[in-house]
Amino acid sequence: MKFILLLSTIGLCWAQYTPHTQYGRTSIVHLFEWRWADIAKECERYLAPNGFGGVQVSPPNENIVVNSPSRPWWERYQPISYKICTRSGNEDEFRDMVTRCNNVGVRIYVDAVINHMCGAGGGAGTSSTCGSYYNANNRDFSAVPYSGWDFNDGKCKSGNGEVSNYNNAEEVRDCKVSGLLDLALGKDYVRTKIADYMNHLIGIGVAGFRLDAAKHMWPGDIKAVLDKLNNLNTQWFDAGSRPFIYQEVIDLGGEAISSSEYFGNGRVTEFKFGTKLSTVIRKWNGEKMAYLKNWGEGWGFMPSDRALVFVDNHDNQRGHGAGGASILTFWDARMYKMAVGFMLAHPYGLTRVMSSYHWPRYFENGKDVNDWVGPPNNNGATKEVTINADSTCGNGWVCEHRWRQIRNMVAFRNDVDGQPFSNWWDNGSNQVAFGRGNRGFIVFNNDDWSLSTTLQTGLPAGTYCDVISGDKVDGRCTGTTVYVGSDGRAQFSINNSAEDPFIAIHTGSKL
């Protein structure tokens, strides 16, 4: 009996590392700043039919309304209360979204802002998305309620109460990051208030949480909050399922805090992934795709089963957070599709695809002065995500997850799930190829000359549709076809000036 009990505990521990996606679905998408009504529709009309596993949604709790600059994206990261009430929608709309998405097997992960409340300079009044009163100066958030007792002001040892020295772990965790009022997660009262909020969302049916600013919280304090969380809602999840947890920890090396301190609580964002991959695809610093042969742990990344990976996120696509100028985004579409394609083909980590909105990027002295701009809106009301005839999005929404090349690589990853990394080939420069067992094969040409070669794919003989240049529709291919011989070998030709200089085939694209 003891043996069985031990095994069941281990099983439960593991739950926080698995995203509870439906079988055969392996990727999540961040629908940044989307309204709940639009996400509900997208789950039904697009995400479920195309094999997406889940959605990371913007923080659903009440936040401060910032009018200078006008309604920036970052106001969502300045909580006023834990009421479900933002420009994405109210609690009824949130519940409807979670129900409808779960009913088609698409999970919802909430971006949980639990390290802090609004900025110290947030003033007082009811300039909040639900009209709740607050007084930042007095640390009065009566809608929670929090008071001066519930913040780390007395615990912070830095001169000005701010985080300025990232080589001091105490300062990073006990002081205010960018002026945001730092909650005292060491106190049971605060932990309970946060857990009550998260349990409210679990009851509604969410599958897990991204923990914003996890690096600014003590791992033990996070564990204390997680220990108070309920199991997931059995309407959609197996009894005893624990919420999936992934923690935002920016660790590019050289600081006091390392990602590994957080592995006990759940997965961790691997920021090195997008930073390094973007540098390679850009061919900066002498990097070459040939060097990607040992991609993953071989590049000094965290263990694959602890990593949440992405090419760009809502912060670093606009120069915030980590990664600097190398980060590839939708603005660099050709290279970006290659980077996302590589990420989705490679077995390392749990993959998250970004879905963005356009903003009027304008650089002055190397800085985008419009990096604050919020989602497409009419006088502060977020615009609907409209769908064009060609299935792209309108109203200023980018919808990278709907780009054929990215959508089809999400399906590729689903098809090759569990298959080993295999049949690597490179030309010593920027032409590379690799397979996933006997189910998938991908070839890249990022050199300034054409590629033409015969490669071992590991795939069964037959004719395959290249899912980068086209789609398999009614047993036919709208793009290039690839013929694999009985020996598993196939001829590949990729012009260096091709719109998308890569080819991907998998068993699901066999004609």
Side-chain angles (χ1 to χ4, degrees):
M1 190 61 201
K2 271 185 185 159
F3 179 63
I4 293 166
L5 277 176
L6 180 68
L7 275 180
S8 66
T9 339
I10 291 169
L12 286 178
C13 291
W14 274 94
Q16 74 237 44
Y17 304 103
T18 49
H20 306 294
T21 49
Q22 275 202 338
Y23 179 76
R25 298 185 186 179
T26 55
S27 294
I28 68 180
V29 57
H30 183 190
L31 299 181
F32 180 49
E33 281 277 13
W34 281 41
R35 302 178 317 147
W36 312 143
D38 289 320
I39 294 175
K41 288 183 201 159
E42 190 73 347
C43 283
E44 294 166 342
R45 72 192 167 199
Y46 199 85
L47 300 179
N50 285 291
F52 285 82
V55 180
Q56 177 182 314
V57 302
S58 287
N61 62 295
E62 183 177 21
N63 58 267
I64 195 168
V65 170
V66 174
N67 289 310
S68 180
S70 181
R71 306 304 305 271
W73 62 268
W74 44 255
E75 75 169 35
R76 299 288 291 264
Y77 291 87
Q78 299 203 29
I80 293 299
S81 81
Y82 298 128
K83 295 174 185 172
I84 311 301
C85 186
T86 63
R87 60 181 165 209
S88 287
N90 60 29
E91 180 163 335
D92 288 342
E93 292 164 314
F94 184 85
R95 284 179 179 274
D96 181 61
M97 168 191 71
V98 174
T99 299
R100 287 166 62 186
C101 290
N102 272 329
N103 284 347
V104 291
V106 180
R107 305 305 179 210
I108 298 294
Y109 311 103
V110 164
D111 196 347
V113 187
I114 60 176
N115 170 68
H116 54 263
M117 298 301 278
C118 71
T126 54
S127 180
S128 52
T129 49
C130 231
S132 293
Y133 176 81
Y134 65 93
N135 184 327
N137 206 38
N138 295 349
R139 313 300 193 248
D140 173 13
F141 295 89
S142 49
V144 177
Y146 286 140
S147 69
W149 295 102
D150 303 314
F151 293 86
N152 274 335
D153 297 296
K155 198 177 177 192
C156 172
K157 304 280 195 296
S158 77
N160 60 358
E162 296 281 327
V163 178
S164 51
N165 177 11
Y166 277 84
N167 285 312
N168 180 332
E170 283 76 18
E171 185 173 309
V172 172
R173 286 156 173 165
D174 295 340
C175 301
K176 296 193 290 285
V177 58
S178 307
L180 299 164
L181 295 172
D182 201 55
L183 284 166
L185 266 85
K187 292 187 59 173
D188 189 64
Y189 174 78
V190 174
R191 293 170 175 175
T192 302
K193 284 296 175 192
I194 291 168
D196 288 348
Y197 163 55
M198 294 170 78
N199 280 329
H200 181 51
L201 296 169
I202 288 169
I204 290 171
V206 308
F209 302 90
R210 169 194 183 260
L211 301 187
D212 178 66
K215 175 180 178 172
H216 297 281
M217 299 181 272
W218 291 96
D221 289 344
I222 293 175
K223 182 183 187 301
V225 171
L226 299 181
D227 285 347
K228 292 177 182 281
L229 297 188
N230 298 334
N231 292 335
L232 298 182
N233 188 323
T234 52
Q235 187 176 343
W236 296 289
F237 303 96
D238 293 340
S241 297
R242 298 297 293 160
F244 172 52
I245 300 296
Y246 55 109
Q247 303 156 95
E248 185 207 12
V249 179
I250 298 174
D251 173 16
L252 299 175
E255 287 183 15
I257 293 170
S258 102
S259 298
S260 59
E261 297 172 51
Y262 293 84
F263 292 166
N265 293 327
R267 288 200 184 233
V268 181
T269 51
E270 180 49 282
F271 276 89
K272 291 173 190 162
F273 187 99
T275 309
K276 296 283 191 190
L277 185 56
S278 296
T279 304
V280 172
I281 300 286
R282 288 185 186 275
K283 299 188 272 196
W284 285 1
N285 308 338
E287 293 286 9
K288 300 174 178 176
M289 288 192 80
Y291 300 157
L292 296 172
K293 184 175 184 176
N294 66 338
W295 184 247
E297 290 96 339
W299 277 59
F301 300 168
M302 65 183 73
S304 179
D305 62 2
R306 291 295 178 270
L308 186 286
V309 301
F310 46 95
V311 174
D312 62 330
N313 79 341
H314 70 277
D315 267 320
N316 66 16
Q317 71 169 195
R318 41 181 54 74
H320 286 240
S326 77
I327 298 294
L328 288 168
T329 70
F330 69 86
W331 297 103
D332 322 287
R334 188 172 186 261
M335 290 188 289
Y336 185 69
K337 286 179 281 185
M338 274 196 278
V340 175
F342 185 92
M343 171 181 81
L344 291 168
H346 196 281
Y348 180 83
L350 177 70
T351 46
R352 179 180 65 195
V353 170
M354 184 65 200
S355 194
S356 319
Y357 57 80
H358 283 281
W359 73 94
R361 212 163 58 147
Y362 185 70
F363 287 97
E364 283 180 2
N365 303 319
K367 183 182 172 355
D368 176 9
V369 295
N370 288 331
D371 64 2
W372 57 270
V373 173
N377 68 90
N378 293 311
N379 299 319
T382 302
K383 285 186 181 177
E384 178 188 3
V385 179
T386 53
I387 308 299
N388 302 322
D390 64 358
S391 94
T392 59
C393 297
N395 260 350
W397 300 94
V398 181
C399 295
E400 300 95 314
H401 70 285
R402 281 177 167 258
W403 294 2
R404 178 188 67 244
Q405 302 84 345
I406 291 176
R407 171 197 72 218
N408 284 349
M409 285 307 299
V410 166
F412 178 107
R413 188 176 194 79
N414 290 344
D415 195 15
V416 304
D417 189 35
Q419 292 288 316
F421 178 76
S422 56
N423 291 304
W424 174 269
W425 170 86
D426 68 70
N427 70 339
S429 186
N430 291 290
Q431 297 179 357
V432 303
F434 64 90
R436 294 293 302 278
N438 61 1
R439 296 192 69 87
F441 194 73
I442 191 164
V443 188
F444 294 86
N445 179 11
N446 200 28
D447 272 326
D448 300 328
W449 57 89
S450 60
L451 174 154
S452 185
T453 190
T454 300
L455 298 171
Q456 174 55 250
T457 67
L459 295 183
T463 305
Y464 293 79
C465 183
D466 164 35
V467 297
I468 304 305
S469 60
D471 293 300
K472 177 180 163 184
V473 184
D474 300 329
R476 303 168 74 128
C477 185
T478 64
T480 310
T481 54
V482 176
Y483 176 71
V484 175
S486 57
D487 59 356
R489 293 167 71 80
Q491 166 71 26
F492 293 94
S493 297
I494 305 175
N495 194 303
N496 53 300
S497 60
E499 180 191 353
D500 293 305
F502 63 116
I503 289 175
I505 56 175
H506 60 97
T507 46
S509 78
K510 194 168 184 231
L511 300 174

